Amino acid sequence: MAKKDQKPGQVVGVVGSGSFATAIVKMLTENCKTVHWCVRNEFVKGAIELRHHNPNYLTAVRFDVKGLKLTTDINELVSACDIVVLATPSIYLSDALDKLTCDYSGKIFVSAIKGIVPKVNDVVAHYLRDEFKIGFRSQAVIAGPCHAEEVAMERLSYLTIATVEENTELLRDKFASHFIKVNCSCDILGNEYSAILKNIYAIGAGIASGLGYGDNFTAVFVSNAIREMEVFLEGIHEMPRDVNESAYLGDLLVTAYSLFSRNRSLGNLIGKGYTVKSAIQSMNMIAEGYYAADSIYKTSKEKKMNTPIIDTIYAILYEEKNAEKQFQKLTAKLN
């Protein structure tokens, strides 16, 4: 596929060097002659330049480094780009953006982060708005269902990009390709919160699997989870939305069932008897759902929402409640 010429106002860069950041760079290189990429450190930068792949994640994805502008300096990347994709784990985002000193007015910031920013105990959209004065009209959110591992294999995947209407076509053209189909949405907060919630629910699906519950229970669990997600989203930001669309239900399904899901894997270990701490330590990637569960639970309680699944996962993760006993109680509340 011939790559499109980059017009003024369309230079794009990615901040982060994990698996999803690497997958996003791969998507963008399908359409962009040059992609700017801010990676974690000089070792990662040097390894990509020398070996043409990320040394730590999705190592099978090879890049034409002539089309990459690699840096470890976020100010260098933001100064050069008009569209900045944030793809770090949520717990590291504030560390990256605290170094931002250049002028970022007029830039579009796209969040591919599916977690809560610990520094402010809030979602990325609010963090950018409140801490950096980046309004929603200069923001976008990427939602799934789209596992990085399948992007690496160029298996057909679907993205949802939530943004204001005037940026829709611009962002769709950056990401769409023969293996990426892009849906568009104006539900920025709903898409961001649903991407966070599905990680928490996936931990629950993993716990159920580890405890020995079968497919029948998992189907009921996920059915209840999507209804609970709808309750939460309406309580946070009421607007017309269909939670059966891919960005909500589809992303929940793939995260709850897929063996690529790190959140499901974390839950599975806990269900098999690992302590929460030992399960987290045994993971070589960050399970965002663990960090998000605390904030989401507290929000649910503050707004007096009926969220029995969130309550159960929180009790297991943060109150050291027995997973088997908690799920026995949960089964009586599901239908």
Side-chain angles (χ1 to χ4, degrees):
M1 179 185 295
K3 295 180 182 179
K4 301 170 184 176
D5 291 333
Q6 286 182 221
K7 299 175 183 177
Q10 293 190 0
V11 181
V12 63
V14 178
V15 179
S17 50
S19 58
F20 199 42
T22 305
I24 288 172
V25 173
K26 176 178 172 58
M27 295 178 207
L28 293 170
T29 56
E30 293 291 313
N31 295 320
C32 304
K33 287 184 177 180
T34 303
V35 177
H36 294 252
W37 191 2
C38 182
V39 298
R40 184 178 307 156
N41 52 47
E42 288 294 336
F43 169 77
V44 175
K45 177 176 179 287
I48 296 172
E49 290 171 338
L50 179 65
R51 300 170 187 161
H52 298 193
H53 67 79
N54 187 329
N56 299 319
Y57 301 98
L58 303 187
T59 55
V61 176
R62 295 189 63 80
F63 295 102
D64 178 359
V65 294
K66 293 179 181 177
L68 298 178
K69 293 283 188 180
L70 289 154
T71 183
T72 59
D73 182 352
I74 190 171
N75 287 292
E76 180 181 334
L77 179 136
V78 173
S79 295
C81 296
D82 306 288
I83 302 168
V84 179
V85 182
L86 302 173
T88 69
S90 61
I91 61 173
Y92 299 137
L93 178 62
S94 59
D95 290 341
L97 293 187
D98 282 348
K99 300 171 185 173
L100 193 59
T101 58
C102 67
D103 179 15
Y104 50 83
S105 58
K107 316 280 185 180
I108 300 171
F109 284 80
V110 182
S111 172
I113 298 168
K114 299 173 174 62
I116 297 291
V117 182
K119 182 178 180 179
V120 294
N121 199 32
D122 209 342
V123 293
V124 175
H126 288 156
Y127 175 61
L128 294 178
R129 180 197 65 188
D130 298 340
E131 299 292 317
F132 295 91
K133 310 306 177 190
I134 300 169
F136 285 180
R137 303 195 74 81
S138 298
Q139 291 190 41
V141 169
I142 292 176
C146 192
H147 275 314
E149 293 81 0
E150 293 199 355
V151 172
M153 293 183 278
E154 297 192 4
R155 290 182 175 175
L156 182 61
S157 301
Y158 289 70
L159 282 182
T160 296
I161 298 179
T163 186
V164 294
E165 287 187 8
E166 57 257 40
N167 293 328
T168 297
E169 185 176 348
L170 170 63
L171 293 173
R172 180 198 286 124
D173 288 348
K174 291 297 180 188
F175 288 93
S177 69
H178 68 97
F179 62 93
I180 299 291
K181 293 188 180 297
V182 176
N183 298 316
C184 296
S185 169
C186 60
D187 185 14
I188 292 176
L189 283 176
N191 276 271
E192 181 162 26
Y193 271 107
S194 68
I196 294 167
L197 289 164
K198 54 93 176 178
N199 285 332
I200 299 171
Y201 296 135
I203 291 175
I207 292 173
S209 176
L211 289 170
Y213 289 88
D215 292 342
N216 292 338
F217 174 78
T218 303
V220 172
F221 177 87
V222 172
S223 175
N224 280 262
I226 192 61
R227 282 177 273 156
E228 186 173 296
M229 180 186 289
E230 185 171 26
V231 168
F232 190 95
L233 295 180
E234 287 299 302
I236 287 294
H237 180 54
E238 187 175 356
M239 68 170 292
R241 67 169 64 87
D242 182 358
V243 295
N244 294 313
E245 291 178 352
S246 296
Y248 311 98
L249 177 58
D251 207 5
L252 171 61
L253 288 172
V254 74
T255 313
Y257 282 99
S258 175
L259 297 180
F260 288 133
S261 170
R262 63 194 73 174
N263 290 282
R264 186 184 191 280
S265 297
L266 175 64
N268 191 50
L269 291 172
I270 294 169
K272 287 181 176 179
Y274 283 65
T275 65
V276 174
K277 183 178 180 179
S278 62
I280 291 171
Q281 289 176 340
S282 70
M283 303 275 291
N284 64 355
M285 292 191 290
I286 292 170
E288 293 275 20
Y290 169 76
Y291 299 96
D294 180 48
S295 175
I296 293 296
Y297 170 80
K298 290 173 181 175
T299 299
S300 170
K301 296 305 104 183
E302 287 170 5
K303 294 185 176 291
K304 296 180 171 55
M305 299 178 188
N306 180 29
T307 54
I309 299 177
I310 290 171
D311 298 351
T312 299
I313 305 309
Y314 175 85
I316 294 169
L317 296 180
Y318 286 93
E319 296 180 342
E320 300 183 355
K321 297 290 182 68
N322 179 271
E324 185 174 7
K325 291 180 180 178
Q326 290 301 305
F327 264 71
Q328 286 173 354
K329 293 178 182 179
L330 179 63
T331 59
K333 300 174 183 178
L334 304 183
N335 58 66

